[in-house]
């Protein structure tokens, strides 16, 4: 990997207090950011300062603390609006996570707009979060779930995808980036093909937002979802972007406080979006933490971060391919910093446990993408995923520990 990279990874590492932690006497090499990211000091401080100095419930209070909390929570909405390049702050709905956001659309939009025999199109790369809600919707509405195939590299077969779009297709729900094998989907082409036929598009951006600039306006999707916890923010806060006219046309998902305009025992009327979709007390501190995470990321040059992470991916693929008996799963030409692999004769769980002995944290399993594992004919993989604080020397540690593990099992 290029030593000439101007990105100062050592300074970045100082921002992440978890790196002071030792596992089995060694500094942890955390290679599982795709599951959930570690948190920089800026986020931890923003959340603890909020709890220590200005905590109160939002929207309802007439007193100073509540006004301050409301201002911070609504400020976080503005922050996310600019982060996604959305046109209007009312297009940003705070929820628990990407899973809840997809379920909201499947329920609130899907139940209203799908008729028997209509079709929903997903891809073979989806996380269970972008499969199961559509299966449940298909059952409720007697619809059909169709799946766009991938090729041996793990890239979408665009011709097959296009041929699956028909007048029956009512929504396309596609991942921006595969969590299991890292493929970055060609969203502009895929969205344009769907939009040319008037089809609604939802993008699952859970694995994209930590690694690339996302512009929902230029993508032209109707919905975009992500979880804060993969973007250096706390767990418990997630985002649904929905284009304003779409959100306004949808009924609420959950009923309760804060989502209403008026309530009588006979009938309630609802607030406008996004309030209509934020019933009950939300994760106020989570939203503030998310805003701090985005602010933290704004301190970097995005292109530099992407170069650093791509460099890590390239280096990891090179080092891993030196190991005889190790096979990388997913070789898409355009990949996020995620590398999935299997080792001959050693179950991924054994690999993961052995790596942990060396202080190397990786993910093992089906990565909530069981159908994708079936396509590659593996029960599970080992997955190393990289973030802005990772270094080539951590990849050397991964390679060394893998080599020793493979020796033991040989
Ligand atoms: N979509 C993708 C691509 C993911 O990787 C994940 C989580 O791993 C999800 C959706 C679901 O995210 P969450 O569990 O935060 O709702």
């Amino acid at each position: 990997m290029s030593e000439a990279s101007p990105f100062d990874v050592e300074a970045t590492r100082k921002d992440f207090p978890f790196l002071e932690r030792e596992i089995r006497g060694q500094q942890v090499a955390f290679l599982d950011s795709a599951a959930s990211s570690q948190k920089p000091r800026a986020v931890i401080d923003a959340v603890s300062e909020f709890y220590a100095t200005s905590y109160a419930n939002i929207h309802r209070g007439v007193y100073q603390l509540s006004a301050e909390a409301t201002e911070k929570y609504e400020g976080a909405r503005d922050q996310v609006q600019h982060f996604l390049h959305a046109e209007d702050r009312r297009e940003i709905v705070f929820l628990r996570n990407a899973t809840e956001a997809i379920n909201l659309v499947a329920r609130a939009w899907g139940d209203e707009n799908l008729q028997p025999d209509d079709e929903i199109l997903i891809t073979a790369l989806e996380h269970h979060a972008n499969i199961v809600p559509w299966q449940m919707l298909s059952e409720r509405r007697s619809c059909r779930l169709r799946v766009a195939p991938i090729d041996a590299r793990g890239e979408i077969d665009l011709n097959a995808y296009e041929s699956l779009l028909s007048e029956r297709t009512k929504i396309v729900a596609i991942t921006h980036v595969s969590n299991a094998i890292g493929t970055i989907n060609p969203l502009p082409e895929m969205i344009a093909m769907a939009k040319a036929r008037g089809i609604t598009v939802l993008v699952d951006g859970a694995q994209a937002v930590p690694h690339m600039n996302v512009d929902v306006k230029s993508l032209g999707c109707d919905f975009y979802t992500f979880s804060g916890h993969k973007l250096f923010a706390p767990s418990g806060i997630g985002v649904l972007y929905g284009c304003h006219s779409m959100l306004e046309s949808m009924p609420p998902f959950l009923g309760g406080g804060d989502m209403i305009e008026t309530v009588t025992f006979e009938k309630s009327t609802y607030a406008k979006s996004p309030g209509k979709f934020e019933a009950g007390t939300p994760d106020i501190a989570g939203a503030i933490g998310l805003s701090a995470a985005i602010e933290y990321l704004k301190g970097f040059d995005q292109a530099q971060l992407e170069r650093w992470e791509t460099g890590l991916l390239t280096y990891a693929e090179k080092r891993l391919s030196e190991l005889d008996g190790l096979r990388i799963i997913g070789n898409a030409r355009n990949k996020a910093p995620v590398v999935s692999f299997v080792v001959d004769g050693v179950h991924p769980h054994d690999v993961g446990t052995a790596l942990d002995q060396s202080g190397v944290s990786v993910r093992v399993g089906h990565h909530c993408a069981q159908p994708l594992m079936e396509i590659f004919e593996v029960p599970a993989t080992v997955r190393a995923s990289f973030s802005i604080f990772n270094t080539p020397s951590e990849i050397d540690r991964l390679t060394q520990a893998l080599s020793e593990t493979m020796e033991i099992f040989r």
Side-chain angles (χ1 to χ4, degrees), residues 377-405:
E377 298 178 339
V378 291
T381 71
V382 184
R383 182 188 70 187
S385 53
F386 310 110
S387 185
I388 56 176
F389 51 75
N390 288 125
T391 63
S393 72
E394 290 176 323
I395 292 167
D396 292 336
R397 278 178 64 193
L398 166 72
T399 315
Q400 178 64 27
L402 272 171
S403 159
E404 288 164 13
T405 306

Side-chain angles (χ1 to χ4, degrees), residues 17-312:
F18 88 97
L19 282 166
E20 287 158 22
R21 177 77 207 275
E22 291 197 339
I23 304 271
R24 300 180 215 293
Q26 301 166 78
Q27 190 181 44
V28 61
F30 187 78
L31 306 181
D32 194 23
S33 293
S36 201
S37 63
Q38 295 292 343
K39 316 304 171 200
R41 172 67 66 199
V43 169
I44 299 166
D45 285 352
V47 172
S48 66
E49 192 191 310
F50 171 61
Y51 277 127
T53 66
S54 35
Y55 182 76
N57 210 334
I58 54 166
H59 293 157
R60 297 179 268 261
V62 292
Y63 53 89
Q64 171 91 16
L65 280 177
S66 177
E68 278 174 27
T70 302
E71 198 176 310
K72 286 186 180 200
Y73 180 79
E74 291 303 331
R77 199 186 308 280
D78 296 333
Q79 180 84 289
V80 175
Q81 179 207 337
H82 295 127
F83 177 68
L84 292 179
H85 304 275
E87 201 159 281
D88 191 318
R89 65 188 310 282
R90 296 172 297 177
E91 297 179 319
I92 304 301
V93 182
F94 284 132
L95 300 162
R96 275 189 304 149
N97 48 37
T99 301
E100 189 174 33
I102 297 167
N103 276 276
L104 186 157
V105 176
R107 277 273 175 192
W109 183 87
D111 283 356
E112 288 286 302
N113 288 282
L114 269 79
Q115 306 303 328
D117 294 329
D118 280 346
E119 293 183 356
I120 300 159
L121 180 60
I122 61 171
T123 79
L125 290 166
E126 303 310 320
H127 184 282
H128 296 167
N130 203 28
I131 301 174
V132 183
W134 305 114
Q135 281 172 339
M136 292 162 75
L137 171 62
S138 305
E139 279 169 27
R140 286 197 303 278
R141 304 296 302 151
S142 305
C143 296
R144 191 146 163 233
L145 184 66
R146 310 212 63 183
V147 182
I150 51 172
D151 63 18
R153 279 193 296 249
E155 291 181 3
I156 289 288
D157 176 340
L158 272 181
N159 289 331
Y161 166 80
E162 187 164 29
S163 69
L164 284 165
L165 297 169
S166 74
E167 68 282 358
R168 290 206 172 136
T169 317
K170 291 297 174 306
I171 186 163
V172 168
I174 42 183
T175 194
H176 196 160
V177 172
S178 157
N179 67 308
I181 60 171
T183 308
I184 301 176
N185 273 329
L187 279 194
E189 290 94 320
M190 293 174 82
I191 294 173
M193 286 173 185
K195 284 287 150 200
R197 294 162 176 87
I199 299 167
T200 297
V201 177
L202 175 141
V203 177
D204 169 4
Q207 294 291 342
V209 287
H211 304 297
M212 59 193 76
N213 182 37
V214 171
D215 184 331
V216 291
K217 240 183 327 181
S218 68
L219 280 174
C221 55
D222 301 284
F223 301 105
Y224 194 97
T225 67
F226 74 89
S227 294
H229 70 91
K230 293 185 199 285
L231 185 73
F232 307 109
S235 49
I237 185 77
V239 169
L240 168 67
Y241 156 81
C243 93
H244 183 61
S245 57
M246 214 61 141
L247 290 181
E248 277 305 306
S249 72
M250 285 158 53
F253 175 48
L254 297 174
D258 231 26
M259 51 75 72
I260 51 85
E261 200 176 50
T262 60
V263 177
T264 66
F265 282 122
E266 289 70 39
K267 185 177 165 51
S268 300
T269 59
Y270 308 126
K272 300 223 169 292
S273 61
K276 178 168 62 172
F277 299 110
E278 294 181 4
T281 301
D283 184 355
I284 310 164
I288 289 165
L290 175 58
S291 181
I294 294 172
E295 195 60 37
Y296 171 71
L297 278 173
K298 278 164 47 181
F300 293 92
D301 171 352
Q302 180 64 28
Q304 212 179 69
L305 289 187
E306 285 180 35
R307 270 198 304 279
W308 180 256
E309 291 186 340
T310 305
L312 291 171

